Amino acid sequence: MVQVSVAGASGNLGSRIVASLQARGASVVAIVRTGKTSSTTFPPTVKVVEADYASVSSLRDAVRGSQVVVSALQGLRPVIVETQSRLLQAAAEESVPRFIPSDYAIDFTTFGPGRNRNLDLRREFWQQIDEQPNIRATSILPGAFAFTLTMPWFVDVAQAKVLYWGDNADVAIDYSSLDNVADYTALAALDDDAPRYLRVASTTQTPTTLAVALSRLTGRQFTTKREGSLDEIRGKIATLLQQDPSPGDNLRPYWQALQFAENISSGFGGTKTHDNDRYGSQVKWATIEEVLAPFKSAFLARAG
Ligand SMILES: NC(=O)c1ccc[n+]([C@@H]2O[C@H](COP(=O)([O-])OP(=O)(O)OC[C@H]3O[C@@H](n4cnc5c(N)ncnc54)[C@H](OP(=O)(O)O)[C@@H]3O)[C@@H](O)[C@H]2O)c1
């Protein structure tokens, strides 16, 4: 039986990855933080290991005997670069041959550094992972998670507007449901031949098609709204960044959301080819209706 250690197992995505791995017959080690109480509960067959993420030796205990380490950690430099580095070192010292880093983003192999702080941190970690001679990494790139659509900088619910920057309301954007990302990640973890990058999407939409889908979902007339030019959003990001006294400390400042909006509006949010079919019918890809359905009340609630 394949053993998989999951870091960030108590998180939104991590807990789903644990459940999906277990459903597929893997032996799962759920790594949780020492001394941190969490509301996440695991089935009795999941081995829950408390680890001190500041200690490589503690992490070695948590990954020992596994064939894959899956990271679903969330954070900034201290987590994405520093904690994942210790996890990687622990995996290397325990001869774990495979590692799935906590990437789960738009396909940022298609553009260079300097355009998105959160993705730059992941790139920085890639330098380390790709230098490890005995560990094969697989990054899962599923586009935007569906719930990001409820963020006010992507959809203005009160005005029933899907927002975009630049001159094109028909730029493709990949969206994935959390369950699809979790299932695909679990399958990739169990797939010894998984390549360095796997690009997937539950659905690919444009601001125009999204407005149509939201109209169908809510019965309200959603349309697109151009927020400004690409130069304007880039200028806005630069100004906000200059004004931020500690740009490395806050996970979701407004300028970081705008960086994603800039990346997407520039055409980096939709990949040309997807690896959706790699596991056949084992992933039931959600349709746009299914992707949006859980958030119906959010699209209606702020309508007044
Ligand atoms: N593409 C998208 O649109 C999108 C959207 C959201 C998230 N994501 C990505 O998906 C991944 C997982 O995110 P999520 O939403 O599942 O995050 P989450 O629910 O906040 O879970 C994060 C996990 O990381 C653990 N963690 C946080 N800080 C830690 C630290 N300093 N040391 C050890 N463990 C720590 C948490 O442990 P505790 O439970 O103990 O706090 C939790 O298990 C991240 O890479 C995130 O960027 C992508």
Side-chain angles (χ1 to χ4, degrees):
M1 190 189 285
V2 178
Q3 182 180 305
V4 184
S5 292
V6 180
S10 53
N12 211 3
L13 178 62
S15 57
R16 286 172 165 85
I17 294 172
V18 167
S20 186
L21 279 165
Q22 220 219 359
R24 290 164 209 286
S27 165
V28 188
V29 179
I31 312 176
V32 297
R33 290 201 251 188
T34 310
K36 187 103 174 4
T37 45
S38 158
S39 56
T40 308
T41 51
F42 299 99
T45 45
V46 169
K47 184 178 172 193
V48 181
V49 173
E50 282 198 10
D52 173 3
Y53 276 91
S55 154
V56 173
S57 110
S58 176
L59 290 169
R60 280 185 69 163
D61 292 342
V63 303
R64 187 166 301 129
S66 284
Q67 284 80 57
V68 195
V69 169
V70 176
S71 171
L73 295 171
Q74 170 70 298
L76 293 172
R77 174 175 297 282
V79 177
I80 295 299
V81 180
E82 294 162 15
T83 301
Q84 285 203 124
S85 297
R86 287 188 289 274
L87 190 60
L88 180 66
Q89 188 185 337
E93 289 178 8
E94 288 298 325
S95 304
V96 178
R98 296 186 55 224
F99 195 109
I100 296 183
S102 194
D103 293 328
Y104 316 110
I106 58 172
D107 181 5
F108 55 104
T109 63
T110 56
F111 59 99
R115 297 177 88 130
N116 186 314
R117 182 225 24 208
N118 288 9
L119 302 183
D120 285 347
L121 293 172
R122 283 158 174 76
R123 270 197 195 89
E124 199 175 322
F125 180 61
W126 283 1
Q127 283 174 3
Q128 297 183 39
I129 206 166
D130 291 333
E131 276 171 10
Q132 276 290 340
N134 299 319
I135 292 190
R136 282 175 292 119
T138 296
S139 291
I140 312 292
L141 301 169
F145 289 3
F147 75 83
T148 59
L149 281 166
T150 61
M151 308 282 177
W153 36 88
F154 294 128
V155 176
D156 179 341
V157 176
Q159 305 297 322
K161 298 286 181 199
V162 177
L163 310 177
Y164 70 97
W165 297 78
D167 297 321
N168 192 352
D170 297 312
V171 174
I173 309 164
D174 292 334
Y175 295 98
S176 291
S177 73
L178 264 175
D179 286 336
N180 280 171
V181 179
D183 284 343
Y184 198 91
T185 302
L187 286 160
L190 301 176
D191 170 6
D192 213 28
D193 296 323
R196 178 68 185 85
Y197 303 105
L198 285 168
R199 300 163 173 97
V200 294
S202 299
T203 180
T204 301
Q205 299 290 318
T206 69
T208 305
T209 62
L210 206 48
V212 172
L214 285 169
S215 302
R216 266 202 312 264
L217 176 78
T218 60
R220 304 171 66 212
Q221 182 67 41
F222 277 76
T223 52
T224 58
K225 181 179 172 219
R226 181 180 187 270
E227 288 282 84
S229 69
L230 288 175
D231 281 347
E232 281 169 318
I233 191 173
R234 287 167 192 152
K236 199 166 175 166
I237 292 165
T239 306
L240 289 170
L241 257 171
Q242 262 174 2
Q243 292 166 352
D244 190 334
S246 49
D249 291 348
N250 183 354
L251 188 61
R252 294 188 187 92
Y254 180 47
W255 57 260
Q256 168 69 72
L258 289 182
Q259 287 189 325
F260 274 113
E262 189 275 339
N263 302 159
I264 284 170
S265 296
S266 301
F268 300 123
T271 60
K272 297 216 167 30
T273 52
H274 294 104
D275 299 296
N276 281 27
D277 294 338
R278 185 173 179 90
Y279 306 116
S281 59
Q282 293 183 81
V283 182
K284 307 270 177 280
W285 294 105
T287 61
I288 181 61
E289 287 78 16
E290 290 164 341
V291 160
L292 292 176
F295 311 107
K296 182 173 177 177
S297 60
F299 291 119
L300 289 167
R302 282 178 275 163

